[in-house]
Amino acid sequence: MAKSEISNQIRKLRFENGEMTQQQLADKVGVTRQTILAIEADKYSPSLILAFRIAKAFGLPLGEVFQYEEERT
Amino acid sequence: MNKTQKGAVFCVASCLFAAGVIAYLFVSLFISKTWPTGFLAKYWSLIAYIAVVVASFTFLRKKQSPAEPDSDERDELIKKRAVLVSFVSVWILLIATTVILNFIVGETGSIPVYLFPFINLGIFITAMLVYSAAILVQYGWGGKDGKE
């Protein structure tokens, strides 16, 4: 059975954007810091709207922030 | 801690306190058959009220940042799951209570009416406790929220 996995570059992008803190990013996209932490750790896959908001906060297209990988198990 | 976590911690503390007070009152009124005396016994409700008000204006109100929302999509998902777990626990408790009472007093036995408020309160407090614990567990473990 194919298992879908969504990974992201948020941590890397935060540091590339003037060492933005999780709290600053959370405030920009309107969520709590715990949610950003969970997304970064791949423990939570955000909704499409939130994913777009995060990508917009970095000024990048969605595909450069989030990656979809299909993993066979 | 965000607002949802703080609320859950506060709820666990309040429920444990309430359970303690109810157990104490139950033992005092129906087993020891003496009305509780002393400062704490007389003014526990006032103390609890002050504690709730103070906590509401300090611990619960303080945000991680001024722009932080009260709850976001992940919080809502966590709360939704916690409600489901709590709902299941209420049914389990209701059925367990009925079966246990049936075993204790028998099919044609009876129980004092004053026990019903205690049973209802016990179930309500347990449901709240389960709800809050489910929230804290989901934050603690991180979970696989939204992956499936």
Side-chain angles (χ1 to χ4, degrees):
Chain A
M1 203 177 112
K3 189 185 169 192
S4 69
E5 289 289 335
I6 295 173
S7 60
N8 65 77
Q9 305 295 319
I10 296 176
R11 180 180 285 269
K12 198 183 109 195
L13 290 166
R14 278 197 301 111
F15 283 96
E16 285 173 3
N17 279 267
E19 300 206 349
M20 187 192 286
T21 63
Q22 288 177 336
Q23 189 63 64
Q24 285 168 334
L25 178 60
D27 291 345
K28 263 190 171 184
V29 298
V31 295
T32 61
R33 191 183 60 80
Q34 282 74 15
T35 299
I36 297 295
L37 194 145
I39 295 169
E40 272 189 12
D42 289 334
K43 285 178 178 169
Y44 173 66
S45 296
S47 68
L48 203 51
I49 293 171
L50 179 56
F52 272 109
R53 271 198 226 134
I54 292 169
K56 197 182 169 190
F58 292 121
L60 292 169
L62 189 66
E64 284 187 38
V65 182
F66 294 93
Q67 288 80 40
Y68 171 75
E69 295 157 16
E70 202 170 273
E71 191 181 282
R72 295 220 169 264
T73 55
Chain B
M1 268 199 276
N2 63 27
K3 268 196 149 184
T4 311
Q5 283 172 296
K6 281 181 191 173
V9 168
F10 185 67
C11 192
V12 167
S14 308
C15 286
L16 290 176
F17 177 76
V21 169
I22 289 168
Y24 174 69
L25 283 175
F26 185 84
V27 170
S28 300
L29 295 174
F30 303 113
I31 297 172
S32 307
K33 307 262 183 196
T34 51
W35 188 254
T37 53
F39 179 79
L40 206 62
K42 276 183 187 169
Y43 301 109
W44 70 267
S45 58
L46 178 70
I47 292 165
Y49 180 75
I50 291 168
V52 167
V53 170
V54 169
S56 306
F57 283 97
T58 53
F59 174 69
L60 294 176
R61 213 171 175 190
K62 201 180 169 194
K63 287 183 172 185
Q64 294 175 116
S65 95
E68 188 191 60
D70 285 344
S71 69
D72 60 24
E73 58 178 50
R74 183 167 177 255
D75 297 329
E76 294 306 319
L77 185 69
I78 285 172
K79 281 194 252 181
K80 209 182 277 180
R81 285 180 186 170
V83 166
L84 189 68
V85 172
S86 175
F87 181 72
V88 170
S89 77
V90 167
W91 276 105
I92 291 171
L93 282 170
L94 279 172
I95 293 165
T97 309
T98 313
V99 171
I100 290 166
L101 279 177
N102 197 45
F103 275 117
I104 293 172
V105 297
E107 283 175 15
T108 53
S110 61
I111 59 164
V113 174
Y114 66 75
L115 277 180
F116 282 105
F118 283 99
I119 291 169
N120 290 340
L121 265 175
I123 289 173
F124 174 74
I125 288 170
T126 312
M128 289 303 293
L129 209 54
V130 168
Y131 173 75
S132 307
I135 287 176
L136 293 175
V137 163
Q138 287 183 82
Y139 277 109
W141 289 347
K144 288 189 173 183
D145 314 69
K147 273 206 166 178
E148 276 95 26

